[in-house]
Amino acid sequence: MTAKPALSRLGPSSIPARAGIGLRAEHYAAVLETPPPVGWLEVHSENYFGAGGKPLDYLERIRAHYPLSLHGVGLSIGSTDPLDQRHLASLKHLIRRFEPALVSEHLSWSSVGGRYFNDLLPLPYTEEALDHMVGRVAQVQDVLGRQILIENPSSYLQYVESAIPEWEFLVELAARAGCGMLLDVNNIYVSARNHGFDAGAYLRAIPRHLVREIHLAGFTVNRFDDGELLIDTHNRPVWPAVWALYHQAMHRFGRIPTLIEWDSDLPELAVLVDEAHRADAILEECHAWAA
Amino acid sequence: MHGLRELQLGFASAVLDGAEGDFDRHVRTAGLSGARRLQVYRNNALLSLTGALEAVYPVARRVVGEGFFRYAAAQYIARHPSRSGDLHEFGEHFPLFLQSFAPAADLVYLPDVARLEWAYHRVFHAAGHPPLDVTALARVSAERQGDLRFELHPAARLLESAFPIPRIWQVNQDDHDGDSTVDLSEGGVKLLIVRRENLEIEFRPLEDGEFELLRALAGDCDFATACERAMAAQPTLDLPACFQRHVSQGVLVAFHLPTD
């Protein structure tokens, strides 16, 4: 990707190896009033698919201060339905307007037969699904004219048909489609607990050059009479065990831009900024090791 | 082995339609059963779509209460599945659904309250538009003026109701204090929902004549016909002043002359 001169209305174009926060509508005013000391911001792409109005107006004003990442939650990239070209066109338009440093989507599907779950659903990890994902990611990158990152999801079930570990599936996908990886450390922890695999082994299986972004968030524990499931709810602080795994991840991968995600039961902005500073402290430590 | 497409279609039947059949044979049962694990996805989809409806219809939700709203939402979601990865497009048919939703039959004004909220939602996200080019308009010859077609601002909508829906909307806002009684016999309203330059949204009650004028123009009537309808609806209407006002306030934003 060649660097192009930034237009005056847009802020910095590249994302630093620091912590950023997810920007939600509830915090627009607070962010503009006193731009918080975080390295970058990420938004859900679909929240800016409208033709005009406040969301785009706020994003434009906020973009003047921060590098931006666009994170998609609705492309349904793993679906066997045709890709939604209108959705892709909206995303492309948004990319042109805001020049994000990173654009990401999920290793998941969310619709079939034209019906949308509006949720991130697990794929079976089979050769067929891998071929399918490779083709779809390539198609998306062709339309957008740029690389995207694919994020590992939290999952609550595994298919009997799955024959490839998730980490191998992702690495193979990145190698064949030429996409990067957005590694969600919370999701690794959640899925590892839900399915009984070793989160550390997951990290060790990922080549460091593939990882462009890290996500951190809070999960919720759902207890049932026959066991428990961790649910990726993004409604509370990062858990200590996830911080520990993040520590390991940064030790392995070096300093990677890290996002604090918080999407429901939003606290005041300062709480997110504190979480980001905690991630920054770990990133600094990694810098010290590397030095 | 089951193909990817069949697996996804089977998942959708099991989770969206509750037609579980033997789908759980595709799910590994480590500790928790397949059915339990599928239930998590059923809940997530329901929460995601209910949340989208709650975001668009906060007043309807407040009027009927949270439990009732969730019940209605679940019925709606089953009947009108989401068709887009952009959740802002979900919920368009909810007003019509409420109109035939028997448990809400007593709340005669509820569908119109929902219509107002959907209009607000669409206006909120609509495109901007520069004001009408009045200099160009002035150049249209007098004999062609009747043929003119006008366009409303993309962030402007008209809504007619037999109930005082702006009042119902107002008393159900979080920051409303003071008297919150609504007198349904207060009567109906003809409303322009419009986004101002500062992006705030306003509900403007219109008189019969100006409502008819805008409705006719929005329906692609020529200017002469629109004026006739406006005057028929309200013979006392000051038509030139009314037209001027909607141009200067940025409600009417574009025009063209059809080529013969």
Side-chain angles (χ1 to χ4, degrees):
Chain A
M1 207 169 64
T2 53
K4 59 188 278 189
L7 301 173
S8 58
R9 66 190 167 78
L10 297 174
S13 56
S14 72
I15 287 185
R18 285 183 58 195
I21 58 174
L23 174 67
R24 299 294 168 258
E26 289 83 342
H27 292 146
Y28 286 156
V31 166
L32 276 177
E33 198 181 297
T34 315
V38 294
W40 53 287
L41 300 173
E42 182 169 280
V43 297
H44 285 176
S45 314
E46 290 80 4
N47 286 343
Y48 302 89
F49 277 11
K54 278 189 184 178
L56 287 161
D57 181 65
Y58 272 112
L59 189 59
E60 188 132 73
R61 287 191 276 154
I62 291 170
R63 176 71 179 92
H65 301 283
Y66 293 95
L68 181 71
S69 162
L70 290 181
H71 185 52
V73 295
L75 188 55
S76 193
I77 200 162
S79 170
T80 50
D81 278 1
L83 269 172
D84 181 349
Q85 295 299 330
R86 205 167 56 102
H87 194 107
L88 264 181
S90 297
L91 181 57
K92 186 169 182 162
H93 180 75
L94 203 61
I95 290 169
R96 284 217 181 108
R97 178 162 174 186
F98 290 99
E99 301 181 11
L102 299 171
V103 176
S104 52
E105 253 291 348
H106 295 84
L107 178 64
S108 68
W109 61 286
S110 55
S111 62
V112 70
R115 292 193 294 174
Y116 279 75
F117 292 69
N118 301 93
D119 183 26
L120 305 170
L121 307 173
L123 282 163
Y125 297 136
T126 60
E127 290 296 337
E128 185 202 359
L130 181 57
D131 287 346
H132 182 65
M133 274 301 289
V134 168
R136 298 274 282 203
V137 169
Q139 211 182 330
V140 171
Q141 293 184 143
D142 276 355
V143 172
L144 299 181
R146 63 177 294 154
Q147 189 194 44
I148 62 168
L149 311 184
I150 293 292
E151 176 182 349
N152 59 300
S154 278
S155 64
Y156 314 113
L157 64 77
Q158 288 180 307
Y159 299 100
V160 169
E161 287 80 357
S162 285
I164 308 169
E166 185 174 287
W167 48 92
E168 274 182 42
F169 192 98
L170 274 164
V171 170
E172 192 65 18
L173 172 63
R176 287 174 53 190
C179 58
M181 282 181 63
L182 192 183
L183 211 55
D184 188 316
V185 173
N186 179 63
N187 288 350
I188 292 179
Y189 184 82
V190 164
S191 294
R193 281 275 301 271
N194 287 344
H195 308 311
F197 61 73
D198 175 5
Y202 195 125
L203 291 181
R204 287 190 294 278
I206 308 288
R208 40 197 92 190
H209 71 275
L210 291 179
V211 185
R212 302 285 149 76
E213 182 184 345
I214 299 284
H215 271 183
L216 291 172
F219 61 79
T220 300
V221 184
N222 273 20
R223 294 199 169 80
F224 307 100
D225 44 17
D226 48 350
E228 64 175 36
L229 277 174
L230 308 193
I231 312 286
D232 181 33
T233 44
H234 295 190
N235 66 342
R236 46 152 293 125
V238 178
W239 286 76
V242 174
W243 281 120
L245 191 61
Y246 174 62
H247 215 271
Q248 274 184 52
M250 288 306 91
H251 206 175
R252 171 170 173 76
F253 299 117
R255 302 176 70 183
I256 309 277
T258 299
L259 186 87
I260 303 294
E261 288 185 292
W262 201 316
D263 296 316
S264 55
D265 307 327
L266 277 174
E268 55 183 284
L269 187 58
V271 177
L272 269 75
V273 174
D274 281 350
E275 292 274 285
H277 286 167
R278 198 163 163 187
D280 273 331
I282 294 171
L283 287 168
E284 280 305 316
E285 239 181 270
C286 293
H287 193 51
W289 295 327
Chain B
M1 193 173 106
H2 224 63
L4 179 58
R5 176 115 189 125
E6 291 69 36
L7 197 70
Q8 290 182 340
L9 289 168
F11 188 103
S13 303
V15 169
L16 292 183
D17 306 328
E20 220 149 279
D22 58 354
F23 188 80
D24 60 0
R25 75 193 159 89
H26 297 290
V27 179
R28 279 188 203 161
T29 54
L32 295 165
S33 69
R36 177 79 82 201
R37 292 170 182 276
L38 288 167
Q39 183 62 35
V40 171
Y41 286 100
R42 190 172 295 124
N43 285 346
N44 279 356
L46 195 60
L47 280 177
S48 165
L49 294 168
T50 304
L53 290 176
E54 285 174 335
V56 176
Y57 298 104
V59 174
R61 178 175 179 266
R62 195 156 160 154
V63 166
V64 301
E66 188 180 320
F68 189 99
F69 189 89
R70 290 194 173 170
Y71 172 69
Q75 307 285 312
Y76 177 76
I77 291 162
R79 232 176 284 174
H80 301 272
S82 170
R83 296 286 176 192
S84 169
D86 174 5
L87 271 177
H88 296 100
E89 295 186 9
F90 186 63
E92 180 174 11
H93 309 294
F94 196 56
L96 201 60
F97 163 85
L98 288 174
Q99 201 166 307
S100 58
F101 186 54
D106 288 346
L107 299 169
V108 286
Y109 53 86
L110 188 65
D112 281 357
V113 168
R115 279 185 188 97
L116 179 62
E117 293 197 280
W118 183 257
Y120 183 97
H121 174 64
R122 297 311 291 187
V123 165
F124 186 85
H125 292 287
H129 201 291
L132 189 138
D133 183 350
V134 285
T135 319
L137 183 61
R139 284 198 295 265
V140 175
S141 64
E143 62 269 23
R144 294 299 312 274
Q145 283 171 3
D147 298 329
L148 282 163
R149 305 289 200 284
F150 288 89
E151 275 171 44
L152 264 63
H153 194 289
R157 293 223 165 185
L158 296 162
L159 185 64
E160 183 175 9
S161 172
F163 306 101
I165 46 175
R167 172 76 184 151
I168 297 171
W169 197 90
Q170 184 195 9
V171 302
N172 284 290
Q173 296 304 302
D174 285 339
D175 55 3
H176 176 77
D177 56 351
D179 182 18
S180 61
T181 53
V182 177
D183 179 7
L184 285 183
S185 68
E186 193 179 299
V189 67
K190 290 176 175 172
L191 211 56
L192 173 68
I193 299 116
V194 65
R195 197 174 71 203
R196 293 194 307 244
E197 200 64 15
N198 66 4
L199 303 181
E200 296 299 328
I201 294 169
E202 195 179 330
F203 301 151
R204 284 186 208 152
L206 301 181
E207 295 190 333
D208 294 347
E210 60 183 338
F211 186 82
E212 283 312 318
L213 179 74
L214 293 180
R215 178 153 69 181
L217 293 175
D220 204 32
C221 275
D222 62 62
F223 189 52
T225 310
C227 290
E228 279 165 28
R229 290 195 191 166
M231 293 311 292
Q234 189 184 343
T236 59
L237 178 69
D238 181 349
L239 190 61
C242 164
F243 176 75
Q244 284 289 338
R245 188 165 62 247
H246 289 298
V247 169
S248 67
Q249 291 178 347
V251 176
L252 295 169
V253 290
F255 67 89
H256 71 275
L257 271 173
T259 46
D260 303 313

